[in-house]
Each structure stands twice: as C-alpha cells, then as structure tokens.
Amino acid sequence: NAGVTQTPKFQVLKTGQSMTLQCAQDMNHEYMSWYRQDPGMGLRLIHYSVGAGITDQGEVPNGYNVSRSTTEDFPLRLLSAAPSQTSVYFCASSYSGAEQYFGPGTRLTVT
Amino acid sequence: SQQGEEDPQALSIQEGENATMNCSYKTSINNLQWYRQNSGRGLVHLILIRSNEREKHSGRLRVTLDTSKKSSSLLITASRAADTASYFCATDASGANSKLTFGKGITLSVRP
C-alpha cells in the first residue's frame, strides 16, 4: 500500500492564484482530514470528511474548499491564495476516526 | 485554538537517558494521542490512550493519563539518537469524526 499520498510536494503561488492540493489514500479509510502546520503553531484542522459526500469545517476553514466524491480522494482547493496561506499542508486518513495516518506534506509559498 | 499544550517546549538529553514530555488540555476528552514528526516529514502515530485508561505501554513508550488533572505524560525510556524529533499530543474531544486538536509540539534532541 502507498498509504497517504500528497501532490505536489512543493508549490509557489502568486497572491490571487488558485490551486488544488491533491490527497489520496489506498487504505479504504472513511475519515480524511486536512491540516496546516505553521512554525510554533502545531497543526490546525482546516476541513475534514467522515465519508464520501460528507465534509465539515475545522478550526481554520476560511479560504479553502474541499469535496469528497470518492473514498480515496480528498482534494483541498485554495480559492484565491494569500500570503497568510503560506504553510505546510498535511492530509491524513483514519479507519476509525482515532489513529491518523499522515501524508508527507505539501510546502506552499504564496508571494 | 490549541486544546493540548505540551511541556517543555524543547528537551535535550543524552542517549540512554529517559525523556519525559507532558501535555495538558482544557476540555473533556474521549482519547489522547501522541505523534512523532521527524524533520520535514509527516506525523507518525505513536500511541493512543482512552479516557478510561490510566497507563499504556508500547515498546519503549509509556503514556499516562490523569483526567482529573487534564494531563498526560509520554515517557521514552533508554532514548536513542533516532528518537530526535518533534512530539505532539492530540486530543479527541468529539468522540467521532476524526476531529483531533493538536498541541504545538515538543522538540526532543538526543545527543549521541
């Protein structure tokens, strides 16, 4: 199993551009989440999903959209990138909603 | 806002020593988890302790939970240089839906 995969690994955007961060898992997990990690801030939950077709907001959802059309994929869309969205983004999945499996992360810089 | 707050923020020990890290939280939880993050990598789950458990072991890891004090500790025994990483506690206050709240992390350095 590949586990949780994220693409791209690195991305540079200009302010106002949009993009989609991809996340996929091959473990048939129902639960998937997106976090951002900033220096000194730990991880903060952006959006999460408990199954295909079901998503909900986390702690810091503004400026991000998600959808869950399949169990495997959970893309995160930045609608209009801002410098405050410069961060490392992690996708995670879970079978039971407890132990989470994390992807390797996407390092995003917005200039 | 962070639910879990780890203490200390940074810890430096000699190889072979034990490392103790603490986590305090604010609201009632269903479980508390500890994760490790090596530099530039994703987080790796270490151990989960449920609110009705007081102590749990996994290899060189020992975690305790005191729900009356809303605190947990992670003990790594006989530390190795490979244990150098950041450690995070995460709390599940909802009981469902994979909604974890992470602390800011502890940086552990193990000197060879």
Side-chain angles (χ1 to χ4, degrees):
Chain A
N1 286 353
V4 179
T5 58
Q6 291 183 238
T7 57
K9 285 187 168 45
F10 301 94
Q11 183 70 50
V12 179
L13 291 178
K14 293 190 188 320
T15 296
Q17 288 184 317
S18 63
M19 80 158 295
T20 299
L21 307 185
Q22 301 292 344
C23 174
Q25 52 92 8
D26 61 359
M27 297 174 282
N28 203 31
H29 287 170
E30 289 296 324
Y31 300 91
M32 296 187 75
S33 305
W34 274 103
Y35 297 87
R36 59 177 289 173
Q37 184 177 31
D38 302 293
M41 294 293 291
L43 276 78
R44 291 182 292 170
L45 182 64
I46 304 171
H47 285 285
Y48 64 101
S49 169
V50 300
I54 305 169
T55 64
D56 204 348
Q57 297 181 349
E59 182 186 352
V60 288
N62 292 342
Y64 307 95
N65 272 356
V66 292
S67 60
R68 185 95 180 272
S69 56
T70 67
T71 300
E72 294 77 22
D73 299 298
F74 192 41
L76 177 73
R77 296 185 193 84
L78 279 70
L79 308 172
S80 177
S84 61
Q85 293 178 305
T86 293
S87 188
V88 182
Y89 291 85
F90 289 100
C91 178
S93 74
S94 171
Y95 174 71
S96 60
E99 172 186 350
Q100 299 207 9
Y101 293 80
F102 281 80
T106 294
R107 189 174 296 273
L108 175 68
T109 302
V110 183
T111 62
Chain B
S1 61
Q2 253 72 23
Q3 156 82 307
E5 293 288 339
E6 295 96 342
D7 167 62
Q9 289 187 342
L11 182 60
S12 180
I13 59 174
Q14 200 74 33
E15 204 166 26
E17 294 180 337
N18 295 342
T20 299
M21 292 168 267
N22 302 301
C23 171
S24 60
Y25 57 93
K26 296 172 185 168
T27 65
S28 296
I29 61 171
N30 288 289
N31 68 68
L32 185 144
Q33 303 174 38
W34 286 91
Y35 288 80
R36 183 188 75 230
Q37 183 181 35
N38 291 92
S39 181
R41 310 290 288 272
L43 280 72
V44 174
H45 183 265
L46 294 176
I47 196 164
L48 178 153
I49 186 165
R50 302 191 189 283
S51 60
N52 61 353
E53 296 175 312
R54 291 298 166 256
E55 186 171 314
K56 209 163 179 182
H57 297 254
S58 177
R60 293 185 296 114
L61 305 180
R62 172 178 168 256
V63 65
T64 62
L65 180 64
D66 187 335
T67 53
S68 65
K69 294 181 179 177
K70 292 188 169 58
S71 67
S72 173
S73 68
L74 173 68
L75 169 68
I76 304 175
T77 60
S79 64
R80 305 166 182 168
D83 294 327
T84 294
S86 293
Y87 292 81
F88 295 86
C89 71
T91 53
D92 173 6
S94 63
N97 299 341
S98 196
K99 201 170 176 181
L100 290 183
T101 305
F102 284 81
K104 296 180 182 180
I106 297 170
T107 301
L108 173 66
S109 298
V110 182
R111 303 185 301 274

